[in-house]
Structures are given as C-alpha cells and as structure tokens.
C-alpha cells in the first residue's frame, strides 16, 4: 500500500530530474512537465481521503499521517485544495512556456518547486515548512535567469528579501511555544505579531518591501516570473494561513486586522500609482501583481470568513491575469523585442496580434474589469467594503483603473504606426516560429480567462469552502 501524499513529494522530484536530463528535447521535457503537473493536480482532488483505491495496479490511500525521515506528514482537506491550485496553475504556466519559451529551466526547476511546496503544506511542525519554502525561493533563481545571462537583479532581490524573512519566522515558532507555557507574558505575543507582519510583508512583497516584485517581473524570464508571482506567491499565502491556524492568538491580536488592511491599502495605492506611470511591460506586470496582493490583504483585513474567502478568490484568479500578461510579453520578445522600452514597442501589434491580445486580456483581468477573470473577486470586495469603508473602496477602484491606464498606454504604443526611423518593424524576424499550435494555446488561455469571468461560480464556491475550513477566523 502506498501513502498517497508521498506521490506529491516523490513524483515531482523524480520528474524534475528526468526533465532536466531531457532538456535537449524541449518539447518532450515540456510535455512531461505539463502532464505530470496536470495529472497530480487532478489526482489530489479526485482521490478520496481515508479510502484505499487501486491506481495503476497499486493500492493508494490518501490522508492520514505518515512519518518520513522522522518528520510527520499530514494531508487535510485544506491541503488538498491548496496543492491542487499549485499544480494546476503550474500546468498552465508549463503549457504556455512550451510554445513561447521552450528550452527554459522553468520545467525542471518548476517540478522541483512543486515538490518543495507540497512538502511545506504537509509537514509538521510548521518550522520545517518555513525551511522548505526558503529552499524553494533559492531554487527559483535558476528558472528566473534568462538563457543567455546569469542571475538577474530581480532574482537576487527576491532571494535577499525572502532570506530576511527567515529569522523572524523561525523566532515566531520559539516565541509562541514559550507563550503557550506562560500566557501571562504578553511581550512574547507582541514580538510574535510584529515578526509575523514583517516576515510576510517581505515574502509577499507588500509595501515597503515591494521592489523585488517589479524587478522579478521586469528583468527575468517572463513566464518564470509569472510562476513566482502565482505559484510561489500562492505557497506563501497558504503558509501565512497555516501560521494563523496554528497560532490563533496571532489572528486575534488587537490591531491585527487594522494593520493588515492598512498594509494592503498602502500596497494598492502605491502599486496603482507605479502601474499608471510605467511604460515597460515587464515592470507593469509586476505592479499589477502588487495591486493584486494589496487587494487580497485588504480582504483578509476584514477578519471575517467572507473576507478570507475574497482573499482566496483573488489568489485563485490571479494566474488568469499575470500568466497571460507574461505569455503576451514573451510573445512580443520572441519577435525581436529585447528590451520592453517604449521605442521598441511601436507597431508590434501588427506583427504579433495574438501576443498583444494575450497581454491585453491579462491586463484587463489583473485590473479587475468586467467580463474578466479578476472581476468577480474585485466586485465582491467593493460591495463588502462600501457600506463601512467607502474611502478604501474608492482607493481600490482607482488602483484598478490605474493598472488599466498602464495597460492602455502600452497598447497604444503596440498598435501605433512605426516611426520612419524605426528599423523595419515589419521586417523583424521572430526567434521562435509562429504556428497554429502556439496560436491555439494563446486563444485557449484567453478563452479560459473570459470563461472564468463569465462563470466564476466554481472558483467562488471553492474559495468559500476553503475559507470555511479554517477555524482561526473570528465569526
């Protein structure tokens, strides 16, 4: 009999090694990554907890407790949903990277990251989850660097900010252990609350620790940066929820909700201002993700089950915006755009209309406009905030509009007629061939984003269900 949860640790790690060995055959390594992530993402959902099933001639049981190298692994319902989100999102990123970014290190590194993030969700005690996430951040550097360059500035900033969060997260485990023994010593709880806020502000890229977000999106491989801003970011959010679930005194700490809301609002405002003034597409993707993070923090700051569900919904729909924008940017780069400076953008929409469409639809979703994947979460948050906090609602709306201003400015350059001094915009040769399969994947990704915008019920119900499984929320 095989413990099912071990599949999500061992198989991705084994696939990472296999994909790396086959990296010379770009299509094969990409399809193996897509298939493995997709199958494991589906299996974690369909295999029942606590029941033995026969799969590929083997008996597999999901759930329960398993000891591995002296550490306890536990699979709960909340972990199933979280792992499914990580694997299915990774499968989508891998599929797009197969056509627009073949040969990248994203495939083997991404599979390794999925193994580490699965372990961080399953392992007990929580201190080991922190270490696994930090190892995953360090491994991400290899995927972020472009093929013809060394480690990027954004990747090094990402690693630096994440390492700064490590001591605080380790100290929380020790402080809260002492607080459980001496609950009258409030200084232990005070120190833990401060460290929790600072550590996760660093990991999530909240203001004032936001510079790494735009840097990662601006100078790294676009789809690798999208992986970091969706899969890695999702793992950090689930780690935060695990901390709050394990130490409910932190979520009940006086002023916790106010601080989270304030940090979210500051992130929303600054992200919106920077997005509206940004003319480089890569950094625009980062600032859009920054606004999205702020919106999720504002929702979490409501300290209610409804607020948690909205924060999770924002997390679930983020890939439909950020990944599409990154795929569109990579498509533009494949047509000879080495640096996304304004003078290089002019007229590119005529050469790569599908990449332009993907970037536009992704931008609309990241901004949370109607008929986009991001609209349901934003509109629900506006309705929840408006009766009690009209000012926060207004700032959040303006930030969404500011992201769209940045997207519109980029689009106006992409569709403009090239200046006579430009070197043959229409004559630039793509570094990657355009074909029907690439076009089909782009259209499918755009259609999926629109479909989620029109029919968000499945993701909404999943977010509500996951929020209901957490007990730290004060109802």
């Amino acid at each position: 009999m095989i413990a099912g949860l071990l599949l999500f640790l061992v198989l991705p790690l084994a696939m990472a090694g296999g994909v790396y060995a086959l990296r010379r055959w770009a299509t094969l390594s990409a399809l193996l990554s897509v298939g493995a992530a997709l199958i494991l993402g589906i299996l974690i959902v369909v295999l029942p907890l606590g029941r033995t099933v026969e799969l590929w001639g083997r008996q597999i049981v999901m759930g329960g407790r398993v000891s591995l190298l002296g550490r306890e692994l536990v699979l709960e319902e909340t972990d199933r949903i979280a792992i499914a989100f990580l694997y299915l999102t990774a499968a989508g990123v891998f599929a797009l990277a197969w056509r627009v970014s073949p040969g990248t290190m994203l495939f083997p590194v991404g599979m390794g990251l999925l193994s580490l993030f699965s372990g961080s969700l399953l392992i007990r005690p929580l201190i080991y989850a922190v270490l696994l996430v930090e190892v995953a951040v360090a491994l991400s550097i290899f995927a972020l660097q472009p093929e013809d360059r060394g480690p990027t500035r954004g990747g090094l900033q990402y690693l630096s900010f994440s390492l700064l969060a490590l001591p605080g997260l380790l100290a929380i485990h020790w402080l809260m252990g002492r607080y459980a023994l001496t609950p009258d010593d409030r200084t232990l709880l005070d120190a833990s609350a401060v460290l929790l806020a600072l550590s996760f502000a660093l990991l999530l890229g909240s203001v004032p620790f936001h510079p790494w977000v735009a840097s990662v999106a601006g100078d790294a491989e676009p789809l690798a940066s999208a992986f970091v801003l969706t899969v890695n970011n999702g793992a950090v959010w689930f780690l935060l929820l695990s901390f709050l679930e394990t130490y409910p005194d932190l979520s009940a700490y006086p002023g916790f909700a106010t601080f989270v809301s304030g940090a979210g609002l500051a992130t929303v405002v600054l992200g919106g201002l920077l997005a509206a003034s940004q003319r480089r597409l890569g950094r625009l993707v980062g600032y859009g993700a920054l606004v999205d993070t702020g919106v999720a923090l504002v929702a979490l700051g409501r300290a209610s089950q409804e607020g948690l569900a909205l924060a999770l919904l924002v997390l679930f729909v983020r890939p439909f915006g950020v990944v599409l924008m990154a795929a569109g940017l990579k498509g533009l780069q494949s047509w000879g755009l080495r640096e996304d400076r304004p003078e290089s953008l002019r007229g590119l929409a005529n050469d790569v209309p599908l990449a332009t469409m993907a970037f536009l639809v992704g931008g609309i979703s990241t901004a949370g406009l109607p008929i986009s994947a991001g609209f349901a979460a934003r509109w629900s948050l506006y309705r929840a905030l408006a009766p009690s906090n009209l000012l926060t609602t207004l700032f959040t709306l303006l930030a969404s509009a500011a992201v769209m201003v940045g997207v519109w400015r980029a689009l106006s350059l992409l569709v403009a007629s090239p200046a006579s001094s430009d070197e043959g915009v229409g004559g630039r040769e793509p570094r990657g061939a355009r074909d029907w399969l690439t076009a089909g994947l782009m259209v499918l990704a755009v259609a999926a984003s629109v479909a989620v915008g029109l029919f968000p019920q499945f993701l909404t119900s999943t977010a509500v269900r996951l929020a209901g499984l957490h007990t730290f929320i004060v109802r």
Side-chain angles (χ1 to χ4, degrees):
M1 188 183 307
I2 300 174
L5 56 85
L6 292 179
L7 294 176
F8 301 92
L9 301 179
V10 177
L11 283 183
L13 204 56
M15 287 298 302
V19 168
Y20 181 76
L22 297 171
R23 66 189 184 281
R24 292 179 180 270
W25 296 272
T27 296
L28 178 59
S29 63
L31 290 178
L32 285 174
S33 301
V34 173
L38 185 61
I39 291 172
L40 289 172
I42 294 173
L43 283 180
I44 193 69
V45 175
V46 300
L47 292 178
L49 279 178
R51 289 172 52 190
T52 302
V53 296
E54 188 169 333
L55 190 65
W56 301 312
R58 300 282 186 176
Q59 287 189 329
I60 298 175
V61 59
M62 296 292 291
R65 298 174 181 268
V66 176
S67 180
L68 180 66
L69 300 177
R71 303 297 166 221
E72 189 178 53
L73 303 176
V74 182
L75 177 64
E76 299 175 346
E77 188 64 27
T78 54
D79 304 321
R80 277 160 56 100
I81 298 174
I83 291 174
F85 168 76
L86 298 181
Y87 276 87
L88 295 178
T89 301
V93 177
F94 291 153
L96 288 170
W98 166 40
R99 301 309 304 169
V100 301
S101 189
T104 178
M105 284 291 290
L106 174 62
F107 303 115
V109 172
M111 293 305 301
L113 294 178
L114 289 175
S115 176
L116 290 169
F117 289 141
S118 298
S120 71
L121 289 167
L122 299 173
I123 199 165
R124 304 292 187 272
L126 198 56
I127 188 172
Y128 295 102
V130 173
L131 297 176
L132 289 176
V133 169
E134 292 291 347
V135 172
V137 169
L139 185 61
S140 301
I141 303 300
F142 296 99
L144 289 172
Q145 64 186 51
E147 299 173 30
D148 55 350
R149 287 189 288 159
T152 63
R153 178 183 177 184
L156 295 176
Q157 283 187 348
Y158 176 46
L159 178 60
S160 300
F161 278 88
S162 299
L163 287 177
L164 288 174
L166 178 60
L169 294 175
L170 297 179
I172 290 172
H173 181 76
W174 178 74
L175 290 170
M176 293 304 294
R178 290 193 58 190
Y179 179 71
L181 298 174
T182 57
D184 293 334
D185 190 355
R186 297 286 297 183
T187 58
L188 297 173
L189 183 60
D190 296 339
S192 297
V194 172
L195 289 174
L196 182 77
L198 290 176
S199 299
F200 279 99
L202 286 161
L203 288 173
L204 292 172
S206 174
V207 171
F209 307 114
H210 63 280
W212 70 262
V213 177
S215 294
V216 163
D219 63 8
E221 275 292 313
L223 282 166
S225 66
F227 193 99
V228 167
L229 295 174
T230 54
V231 178
N232 289 31
N233 180 269
V236 171
W237 270 100
F238 295 130
L239 180 63
L240 171 60
L241 296 182
S242 296
F243 264 89
L244 297 177
E245 189 75 13
T246 304
Y247 308 115
D249 289 326
L250 292 175
S251 63
Y253 186 80
F256 173 81
T258 303
F259 177 82
V260 172
S261 296
L265 184 59
T267 303
V268 163
V269 171
L270 183 61
L273 290 173
L274 293 172
S277 61
Q278 186 55 236
R279 302 187 71 186
R280 298 189 61 175
L281 301 192
R283 298 182 75 85
L284 178 59
V285 176
Y287 291 132
L290 188 64
V291 171
D292 208 53
T293 295
V295 170
L297 288 172
V298 168
L300 182 63
R302 290 184 59 76
S304 65
Q305 188 175 358
E306 178 193 35
L308 177 57
L310 289 173
L312 290 168
L313 183 58
V314 171
L315 176 65
F316 289 163
V317 300
R318 172 182 283 201
F320 295 97
V322 172
V323 175
L324 260 181
M325 292 181 78
L329 174 57
K330 185 61 180 181
L332 293 169
Q333 288 179 343
S334 70
W335 193 258
L337 177 64
R338 296 297 296 173
E339 295 183 8
D340 53 347
R341 294 176 297 184
E343 59 269 21
S344 303
L345 300 176
R346 189 175 295 274
L348 273 180
N350 297 322
D351 298 320
V352 275
L354 284 176
T356 303
M357 178 181 67
F359 188 86
L360 175 61
V361 173
I364 290 173
S365 179
T366 303
L369 267 62
I371 320 181
S372 72
F375 176 68
R378 298 290 177 89
W379 180 249
S380 299
L381 180 60
Y382 300 150
R383 292 183 60 186
L385 284 174
S388 59
N389 201 330
L390 189 59
L391 189 61
T392 300
T393 307
L394 178 62
F395 279 128
T396 307
L397 273 167
L398 290 175
S400 297
V403 172
M404 198 59 218
V405 168
V407 174
W408 183 260
R409 293 177 65 190
L411 181 65
S412 65
L413 282 171
L414 289 169
V415 301
S417 299
S420 58
S421 60
D422 290 344
E423 292 187 3
V425 171
R428 284 175 286 203
E429 291 296 329
R431 296 197 298 278
R434 293 181 298 173
D435 54 55
W436 64 268
L437 190 53
T438 304
L441 274 176
M442 285 284 194
V443 171
L444 183 62
V446 168
S449 179
V450 175
V452 170
L454 293 174
F455 307 101
Q457 293 87 346
F458 174 74
L459 289 181
T460 302
S461 61
T462 303
V464 171
R465 179 187 172 197
L466 183 55
L469 293 173
H470 288 90
T471 60
F472 68 87
I473 291 294
V474 179
R475 294 179 173 82

